[in-house]
Amino acid sequence: MVKWYPTEDFKKIKTKEEQKPTRIRGAITPGQVLILLAGKHQGKRVVFIKQLESGLLLVTGPYKLNGVALKRIPQAYTIPTSTKLDISGLDTSDITDAFFAKEKKKAAKSEEQFFVAKPSKKEVPEFKKAAQKKLDGSIASAIKDPLVKKYLSTKFRLRNGMFPHLLKF
Amino acid sequence: MVINMVKSLDRLYSRAVFLGYRRGITLQNENQSLLRVEGVKTKEDAKWYIGKRVAYVYRAHTAQTKKNKQTKYRSIQGKVIAAHGTNGVVRARFSHNLPSQAIGKLVRVMLYPNRPAIAN
């Protein structure tokens, strides 16, 4: 049999679906303590604040307890624990992906500028420090149990006899 | 990657042993490695590790140090692709196939990417 062709050629119009942010797995709620699995802060227990528009999770140490500042991490690099803090009263609307945008470096236009010694240490901008202080202050007041403070300052490590597939986080 | 002196207190990966390549009696496929992860005894347990990244870490000598002083760390990255059999052995695929001298040696199975079930 001869294949059936339409009398007029027409192209199928594909409507592109809007990209949705990554789904949150493991029922993580704001205020939950997560364990970071990779990077400089691996093993540290941090507080989950919210999911940003890019899909990354916004977390903070708090900085005073374990040296983790406001940070974005992909969900795949965290393990959620059962410890939850109550941070419902927190105002986090001003922290978005734009907060973490890199400062635009001015390209060295002339040879002299190229050879001028560049400052070796990167300074944390003031608005980041201020946002950090404000957020950490509210979180610190939400922590009633002194053990939770110790919990957040200690690192998670695997020891002999601890097997991840059997652990209940 | 930071290598600390006190290794037992600093582990954020599961220990695994490289058993050999996937093979039948006479023919082996070096593209897939078999790993026995510590503490994993059944196929159900092994399923937790599917997708997790794996690293074979080994040392080499630098241009400055002699062959007996191996201070430079190198790694071959890979990931766990499937369970192998019913006793918890796991198959892994590396960016470059593991060298055969790694058989019997330690391979690290990281805890990431961690993808818990989507709760509804």
Side-chain angles (χ1 to χ4, degrees), chain A:
Chain A
M1 287 289 294
V2 179
K3 186 181 171 187
W4 176 84
Y5 289 95
T7 47
E8 302 240 346
D9 280 329
F10 59 93
K11 279 188 182 166
K12 261 191 191 175
I13 303 167
K14 283 187 185 175
T15 46
K16 205 171 186 189
E17 257 193 51
E18 240 187 68
Q19 278 236 323
K20 297 176 207 164
T22 350
R23 288 175 77 173
I24 289 216
R25 293 174 156 267
I28 305 181
T29 54
Q32 192 151 354
V33 175
L34 309 175
I35 300 175
L36 298 184
L37 295 177
K40 190 169 85 171
H41 299 288
Q42 52 185 319
K44 292 202 179 156
R45 297 174 166 110
V46 295
V47 180
F48 168 58
I49 298 172
K50 67 171 184 180
Q51 183 182 30
L52 300 170
E53 307 87 50
S54 57
L56 300 170
L57 307 184
L58 175 69
V59 295
T60 182
Y63 186 72
K64 276 223 162 130
L65 292 179
N66 50 27
V68 180
L70 281 165
K71 195 175 164 55
R72 294 185 296 180
I73 33 165
Q75 201 187 342
Y77 293 85
T78 66
I79 288 185
T81 63
S82 54
T83 310
K84 296 187 189 182
L85 307 175
D86 179 23
I87 60 164
S88 42
L90 236 55
D91 173 30
T92 56
S93 50
D94 52 337
I95 306 173
T96 59
D97 283 304
F99 182 87
F100 296 97
K102 277 191 180 166
E103 281 182 31
K104 287 213 170 142
K105 282 187 187 166
K106 290 183 193 156
K109 292 285 177 170
S110 66
E111 266 194 46
E112 305 153 352
Q113 276 187 325
F114 185 78
F115 286 108
V116 158
K118 287 165 195 157
S120 49
K121 204 171 186 190
K122 277 191 190 165
E123 279 292 320
V124 177
E126 276 308 313
F127 73 94
K128 282 197 178 176
K129 285 188 185 172
Q132 181 82 50
K133 261 194 180 169
K134 183 177 140 206
L135 203 68
D136 285 356
S138 340
I139 292 180
S141 57
I143 301 175
K144 307 286 184 228
D145 196 352
L147 266 183
V148 173
K149 281 200 170 150
K150 269 211 159 174
Y151 180 64
L152 288 173
S153 355
T154 29
K155 276 191 189 180
F156 168 79
R157 286 299 183 222
L158 285 176
R159 292 179 178 250
N160 281 341
M162 284 171 86
F163 307 121
H165 65 280
L166 294 173
L167 287 180
K168 274 214 165 83
F169 293 96

Side-chain angles (χ1 to χ4, degrees), chain A residues 23-27 35-38 42-43 75-80 155-166 169, chain B residues 2 4 8-15 38-41 45-46 48-49 53 110-120:
Chain A
R23 288 175 77 173
I24 289 216
R25 293 174 156 267
I35 300 175
L36 298 184
L37 295 177
Q42 52 185 319
Q75 201 187 342
Y77 293 85
T78 66
I79 288 185
K155 276 191 189 180
F156 168 79
R157 286 299 183 222
L158 285 176
R159 292 179 178 250
N160 281 341
M162 284 171 86
F163 307 121
H165 65 280
L166 294 173
F169 293 96
Chain B
V2 179
N4 275 329
S8 59
L9 294 182
D10 203 38
R11 195 160 56 90
L12 219 60
Y13 53 85
S14 274
R15 294 188 284 229
E38 191 187 19
V40 182
K41 304 232 176 75
D45 293 343
W48 189 91
Y49 292 87
R53 303 259 220 95
M110 317 309 278
L111 301 182
Y112 54 83
N114 180 41
R115 300 204 167 100
I118 295 179
N120 282 321

Side-chain angles (χ1 to χ4, degrees), chain B residues 53-97:
Chain B
R53 303 259 220 95
V54 172
Y56 168 60
V57 179
Y58 59 105
R59 289 189 286 181
H61 70 98
T62 61
Q64 281 77 39
T65 63
K66 305 237 177 208
K67 276 230 158 97
N68 53 348
K69 272 196 184 166
Q70 305 205 312
T71 52
K72 188 180 173 70
Y73 282 87
R74 291 200 189 127
S75 73
I76 303 180
Q77 302 288 326
K79 66 178 180 183
V80 174
I81 50 177
H84 183 80
T86 51
N87 291 312
V89 175
V90 126
R91 281 182 220 143
R93 202 172 191 128
F94 288 84
S95 56
H96 293 280
N97 296 343

